[in-house]
Amino acid sequence: VQLQASGGGSVQAGGSLRLSCVASGRTLSSYVVGWFRQAQGKEREFVTGIEWSGGSTLYADSVKGRFTISRDKAKNTVYLQMNSLKPEDTAVYYCAAGGTEPTGWAEEYDYWGQGTLVTVSS
């Protein structure tokens, strides 16, 4: 599975961005797709994940109510809608695929895309 993340950019606090993660090579039907982020000088952290088949989701507490993950099966694409962005959301965002249930454990994800940078200014 190859994953291509896009949609990052610069936005002011309170603004919105939508990230996309397009998968190629094989269907995602047996996977979970997750988003992680890594701010400069900090460890990578889990943001959210979605089970491709049933659509169950998991969110980090820091983004609950502001971020929404969704998938478009026809396009083999997962989206991350980010609203009410804060400066602390600034990071490189990565999408990943693997596992069978949404989890925050990065080790459960076998495939990783390149990152897309999100910068939120105050």
Side-chain angles (χ1 to χ4, degrees), residues 61-103:
D61 288 343
S62 59
V63 305
K64 280 181 182 176
R66 300 188 299 122
F67 290 11
T68 303
I69 190 170
S70 62
R71 83 265 196 240
D72 185 328
K73 292 184 176 180
K75 296 182 178 179
N76 227 28
T77 299
V78 171
Y79 301 101
L80 178 61
Q81 178 66 43
M82 306 185 295
N83 298 328
S84 302
L85 282 162
K86 304 175 181 180
E88 50 264 44
D89 294 319
T90 295
V92 177
Y93 284 71
Y94 300 89
C95 60
T100 56
E101 295 182 357
T103 175

Side-chain angles (χ1 to χ4, degrees), residues 32-52:
V32 168
V33 177
W35 287 95
F36 289 77
R37 66 186 181 186
Q38 187 166 19
Q40 192 170 9
K42 296 187 177 181
E43 294 186 355
R44 180 176 54 190
E45 65 173 351
F46 172 75
V47 177
T48 181
I50 186 167
E51 182 204 359
W52 188 262

Side-chain angles (χ1 to χ4, degrees), residues 19 22 26 29 48 59 69 71 77 85 94 112 115 117:
L19 306 184
V22 180
R26 62 178 297 175
S29 60
T48 181
Y59 291 91
I69 190 170
R71 83 265 196 240
T77 299
L85 282 162
Y94 300 89
W112 291 79
L117 176 62

Side-chain angles (χ1 to χ4, degrees), residues 12-24:
Q12 289 191 329
S16 298
L17 282 174
R18 188 177 78 158
L19 306 184
S20 300
C21 177
V22 180
S24 60

